Amino acid sequence: MILHIVLLKETSANIKYCIIEGSDEIINKGVQYWPIDDDEALIDNQRAKAVNSVNTVYITEQTMYVTLDNLQPGTKYGFRSFVTTQKGTIYGDESSFTTKGESSLSM
C-alpha cells in the first residue's frame, strides 16, 4: 500500500492511498493512526498493535482518499497502512504528520 498526505487541517488529514494487490486474497485493509509525543520515535509494528490510542480506518476501494477526522490541532500523529490476508497482517512503513494549529495540550 502506498500512502501520501494530501491535505492537512487543524482537525483532519486527507490521505491518498493506492493498494498494490498480490496473489493472496485481501480480507481487510486500512490505515492506522495514533498521537505521538514529540520526543517519541515512531513506534514499531509490535508496539503499535498494543497501544490503546491506535485508531483504524478500514478501506474498501483500491485507489481512493481517506480522511482522518477528529484530530487535535497542532498534534503529531504516526500512521501506517495495513493489509490482512489468510497468511496474516502486513504493515506498511510508518510515517508522521502534524496537524495545523496550536496544540491545546498544556505542558
Side-chain angles (χ1 to χ4, degrees), residues 4-104:
H4 298 283
I5 296 291
V6 177
L7 178 64
L8 282 174
K9 295 182 179 180
E10 286 188 356
T11 60
S12 66
N14 292 347
I15 298 176
K16 181 179 181 181
Y17 66 87
C18 179
I19 299 167
I20 301 170
E21 296 196 34
S23 60
D24 295 329
E25 179 183 352
I26 294 175
I27 299 168
N28 274 322
K29 56 192 170 207
V31 176
Q32 292 181 325
Y33 64 101
W34 57 90
I36 57 176
D37 296 330
D38 286 334
D39 297 331
E40 181 181 8
L42 292 178
I43 55 183
D44 64 24
N45 288 342
Q46 295 302 315
R47 186 165 163 224
K49 287 189 280 188
V51 173
N52 290 332
S53 61
V54 172
N55 299 288
T56 302
V57 176
Y58 291 97
I59 299 168
T60 58
E61 304 295 325
Q62 186 166 346
T63 303
M64 188 61 101
Y65 291 90
V66 63
T67 300
L68 310 180
D69 286 318
N70 300 315
L71 305 177
Q72 295 298 312
T75 302
K76 188 174 185 177
Y77 288 87
F79 71 101
R80 66 180 178 184
S81 60
F82 71 91
V83 173
T84 302
T85 68
Q86 287 183 326
K87 294 180 181 176
T89 301
I90 301 166
Y91 296 95
D93 292 336
E94 294 177 11
S95 192
S96 67
F97 63 87
T98 302
T99 52
K100 294 186 177 191
E102 293 187 33
S103 174
S104 60

